[in-house]
Amino acid sequence: MTGTPQREPQAGPRPESLADLLGGRRGAVDATLPPLAFGLGWVLGGLRGGVLAALLTGTAVAGWRWRRGDRPRSVLIGLLAVCVAALVALRTGRAEDFFLLQIAANAASALAWAVSIVVRWPLLGVVVGTALGQRTRWRRDPALLRAYGRGSWVWAGTYVLRLAVFIPLWLDGQVVALTVARAALTWPLIAAALASSWVVIRRSLPAGHPGLRHPVTAPVPGGEPVREE
């Protein structure tokens, strides 16, 4: 024993995750509010009550997002989606058709993610690469390209899962169940996809790889791999 106090080892910095890089939690939560308002309004006042509640809530959410500094295009797209969904339901006279736009969007997204992987432009790499300001440098790293492809399958699966839940409920006219499913399969599912795809990416990268922020270009004949800062 000595009189010199022992310093506790300091933990290293927490590894950066996809949630840290991409964010988007607030937007995903906000997106659930108009459908929830529609479901509640439909229960209390029928189709017109649901549409009115969704439009009022969508407008309030858009105003709140505008005031906190979100990009105008993002705000307007969110409000436009609510308006289109409301118009579709009013046009058909079927409350469940308020969710038809969401079903179509998930089908298109599932197809887009799957195609992006097949053509070796995985959308997860495009999104993360853009967020990190890498443009397309990540595609010159074979390990990153493979990891992003595997991680993108997780995201493609989320859209397929939503379709598997939404379509039977829509066909059966289950408005309340659609409302609940819409909320349950938005931010909670996004959180699960962020965590799962991050695990897939980390396990797909070889030992010693510097990570997402530092793509390693393929080595030229007779040369060494180049780490890009």
Side-chain angles (χ1 to χ4, degrees), residues 149-181:
R150 293 174 178 175
S152 292
W153 281 119
V154 174
W155 288 88
T158 65
Y159 297 109
V160 173
L161 174 61
R162 289 193 186 108
L163 291 173
V165 174
F166 291 160
I167 290 178
L169 295 176
W170 173 72
L171 290 173
D172 201 33
Q174 298 293 327
V175 178
V176 174
L178 279 167
T179 302
V180 174

Side-chain angles (χ1 to χ4, degrees), residues 43-140:
V43 170
L44 297 177
L47 177 57
R48 293 187 180 276
V51 166
L52 179 60
L55 291 176
L56 290 176
T57 303
T59 302
V61 168
W64 172 248
R65 293 179 64 188
W66 183 286
R67 289 189 61 185
R68 75 186 182 195
D70 285 14
R71 290 177 297 180
R73 183 174 62 178
S74 174
V75 173
L76 292 176
I77 288 176
L79 181 57
L80 178 62
V82 176
C83 293
V84 171
L87 286 174
V88 170
L90 287 174
R91 179 72 175 176
T92 64
R94 290 160 40 97
E96 59 269 27
D97 287 349
F98 179 84
F99 301 91
L100 194 55
L101 179 63
Q102 182 70 19
I103 293 173
N106 277 278
S109 296
L111 179 61
W113 280 80
V115 170
S116 76
I117 300 167
V118 172
V119 300
R120 297 179 62 79
W121 275 91
L123 283 177
L124 188 56
V126 174
V127 173
V128 176
T130 300
L132 295 178
Q134 295 172 345
R135 302 196 179 191
T136 61
R137 294 200 307 272
W138 57 271
R139 290 196 76 245
R140 299 201 296 271

